[in-house]
């Protein structure tokens, strides 16, 4: 079993140095104290250089997913427990982005037809204006894994980019080791839309 990474100042330095992070969700969703590994301070994001992504392994109760990401964001819920793992990575190579979409969809258990349609859109060439495409989340890891592709047109000296954004969230039902969600209010329902 891999040890979970910590997201304190020292933990993030280690992630940058080793270019690897592990987020283990097999025992539930960690709180800030667990994410800090006993170190004081806030939970930090990880922002890696575009040419040096971090290999992130998300270990769910049922399976794992490895993603090379340039950004790792851990979002706390209202009870202080992490409720969303957000990962991003830009690609200036549409084929590499398409391969990553296929690999993620297969590992996360996403539907095949929408995945194929998104891959076809990527293969069709760059876009002239920003586009966003998402796949319905898969649950093969025992957590919900969503994938959104932000298609960015070329501008001046910047090539066209395909920015992949992964979101990992708890399953809302079933035998879960995640904390029980607070009752929904009218405001929280609006914020979720």
């Amino acid at each position: 079993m891999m040890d979970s990474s910590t997201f304190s100042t020292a933990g993030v330095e280690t992630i940058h140095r080793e270019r690897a992070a592990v987020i283990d969700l097999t025992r539930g969703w960690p709180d800030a104290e667990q994410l800090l590994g006993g170190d004081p301070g806030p939970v930090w994001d990880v922002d890696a250089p575009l040419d040096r992504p971090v290999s992130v392994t998300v270990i769910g109760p049922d399976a794992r997913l490895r993603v090379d990401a340039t950004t790792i964001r851990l979002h706390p819920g209202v009870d202080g427990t992490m409720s969303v793992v957000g990962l991003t990575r830009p690609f200036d190579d549409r084929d590499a982005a398409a391969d990553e979409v296929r690999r993620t969809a297969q590992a996360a258990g996403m539907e095949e037809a929408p995945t194929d349609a998104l891959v076809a859109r990527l293969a069709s060439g760059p876009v002239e204006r920003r586009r966003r495409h998402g796949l319905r989340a898969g649950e093969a890891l025992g957590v919900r894994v969503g994938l959104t592709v932000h298609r960015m047109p070329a501008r001046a000296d910047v090539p066209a980019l395909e920015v992949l954004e992964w979101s990992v969230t708890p399953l809302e039902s079933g035998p879960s080791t995640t904390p029980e969600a607070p009752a929904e209010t009218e405001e929280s329902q609006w914020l979720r839309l």
Side-chain angles (χ1 to χ4, degrees), residues 1-4 21-22 24 27 57 59 64:
M1 178 67 64
M2 300 175 168
D3 287 334
S4 281
V22 176
D24 186 345
R27 288 181 231 111
T57 302
I59 305 171
R64 63 181 59 196

mmCIF file of all heavy atoms in Angstrom, residues 1-4 21-22 24 27 57 59 64:
data_model
loop_
_atom_site.group_PDB
_atom_site.id
_atom_site.type_symbol
_atom_site.label_atom_id
_atom_site.label_comp_id
_atom_site.label_asym_id
_atom_site.label_seq_id
_atom_site.Cartn_x
_atom_site.Cartn_y
_atom_site.Cartn_z
ATOM 1 N N MET A 1 0.843 -1.191 0.000
ATOM 2 C CA MET A 1 0.000 0.000 0.000
ATOM 3 C C MET A 1 0.877 1.238 0.000
ATOM 4 O O MET A 1 1.847 1.311 0.739
ATOM 5 C CB MET A 1 -0.912 -0.037 1.235
ATOM 6 C CG MET A 1 -1.806 1.152 1.407
ATOM 7 S SD MET A 1 -3.114 1.387 0.198
ATOM 8 C CE MET A 1 -4.120 -0.028 0.464
ATOM 9 N N MET A 2 0.550 2.208 -0.824
ATOM 10 C CA MET A 2 1.288 3.465 -0.896
ATOM 11 C C MET A 2 0.838 4.383 0.228
ATOM 12 O O MET A 2 -0.327 4.390 0.596
ATOM 13 C CB MET A 2 1.014 4.161 -2.220
ATOM 14 C CG MET A 2 1.387 3.407 -3.444
ATOM 15 S SD MET A 2 0.819 4.409 -4.850
ATOM 16 C CE MET A 2 1.622 3.606 -6.171
ATOM 17 N N ASP A 3 1.758 5.181 0.762
ATOM 18 C CA ASP A 3 1.393 6.185 1.748
ATOM 19 C C ASP A 3 0.797 7.386 1.032
ATOM 20 O O ASP A 3 1.271 7.789 -0.030
ATOM 21 C CB ASP A 3 2.614 6.636 2.542
ATOM 22 C CG ASP A 3 3.093 5.580 3.521
ATOM 23 O OD1 ASP A 3 2.261 4.753 3.954
ATOM 24 O OD2 ASP A 3 4.294 5.586 3.856
ATOM 25 N N SER A 4 -0.231 7.980 1.648
ATOM 26 C CA SER A 4 -0.823 9.186 1.068
ATOM 27 C C SER A 4 0.143 10.347 1.181
ATOM 28 O O SER A 4 0.877 10.466 2.165
ATOM 29 C CB SER A 4 -2.115 9.550 1.807
ATOM 30 O OG SER A 4 -3.168 8.751 1.371
ATOM 31 N N ALA A 21 2.470 12.106 -6.400
ATOM 32 C CA ALA A 21 1.565 12.295 -5.271
ATOM 33 C C ALA A 21 0.603 11.120 -5.219
ATOM 34 O O ALA A 21 0.254 10.549 -6.253
ATOM 35 C CB ALA A 21 0.787 13.602 -5.406
ATOM 36 N N VAL A 22 0.194 10.768 -4.008
ATOM 37 C CA VAL A 22 -0.778 9.693 -3.804
ATOM 38 C C VAL A 22 -1.918 10.247 -2.962
ATOM 39 O O VAL A 22 -1.680 10.871 -1.915
ATOM 40 C CB VAL A 22 -0.141 8.478 -3.082
ATOM 41 C CG1 VAL A 22 -1.201 7.425 -2.788
ATOM 42 C CG2 VAL A 22 0.993 7.902 -3.912
ATOM 43 N N ASP A 24 -5.042 8.643 -1.224
ATOM 44 C CA ASP A 24 -5.657 7.361 -0.868
ATOM 45 C C ASP A 24 -7.016 7.608 -0.230
ATOM 46 O O ASP A 24 -7.109 8.207 0.839
ATOM 47 C CB ASP A 24 -4.736 6.605 0.095
ATOM 48 C CG ASP A 24 -5.221 5.199 0.398
ATOM 49 O OD1 ASP A 24 -6.403 4.885 0.101
ATOM 50 O OD2 ASP A 24 -4.427 4.418 0.931
ATOM 51 N N ARG A 27 -9.879 4.636 2.927
ATOM 52 C CA ARG A 27 -10.374 4.717 4.302
ATOM 53 C C ARG A 27 -11.272 5.928 4.507
ATOM 54 O O ARG A 27 -11.400 6.436 5.607
ATOM 55 C CB ARG A 27 -9.193 4.774 5.267
ATOM 56 C CG ARG A 27 -8.477 3.450 5.358
ATOM 57 C CD ARG A 27 -7.322 3.497 6.347
ATOM 58 N NE ARG A 27 -6.164 2.968 5.642
ATOM 59 C CZ ARG A 27 -5.109 3.665 5.270
ATOM 60 N NH1 ARG A 27 -5.010 4.925 5.560
ATOM 61 N NH2 ARG A 27 -4.121 3.106 4.616
ATOM 62 N N THR A 57 -1.557 9.471 -8.214
ATOM 63 C CA THR A 57 -2.297 8.217 -8.120
ATOM 64 C C THR A 57 -3.447 8.422 -7.146
ATOM 65 O O THR A 57 -3.220 8.750 -5.976
ATOM 66 C CB THR A 57 -1.398 7.064 -7.627
ATOM 67 O OG1 THR A 57 -0.285 6.938 -8.528
ATOM 68 C CG2 THR A 57 -2.169 5.754 -7.572
ATOM 69 N N ILE A 59 -6.303 6.545 -5.290
ATOM 70 C CA ILE A 59 -6.662 5.175 -4.928
ATOM 71 C C ILE A 59 -8.058 5.193 -4.325
ATOM 72 O O ILE A 59 -8.271 5.754 -3.247
ATOM 73 C CB ILE A 59 -5.657 4.572 -3.924
ATOM 74 C CG1 ILE A 59 -4.234 4.664 -4.473
ATOM 75 C CG2 ILE A 59 -6.028 3.129 -3.608
ATOM 76 C CD1 ILE A 59 -3.163 4.288 -3.463
ATOM 77 N N ARG A 64 -7.809 2.116 -8.877
ATOM 78 C CA ARG A 64 -6.978 3.323 -8.836
ATOM 79 C C ARG A 64 -6.857 3.922 -10.222
ATOM 80 O O ARG A 64 -7.043 3.249 -11.224
ATOM 81 C CB ARG A 64 -5.622 3.036 -8.226
ATOM 82 C CG ARG A 64 -4.775 2.063 -9.001
ATOM 83 C CD ARG A 64 -3.418 1.781 -8.356
ATOM 84 N NE ARG A 64 -3.567 1.244 -7.027
ATOM 85 C CZ ARG A 64 -2.619 1.182 -6.126
ATOM 86 N NH1 ARG A 64 -1.415 1.603 -6.408
ATOM 87 N NH2 ARG A 64 -2.834 0.704 -4.937
#
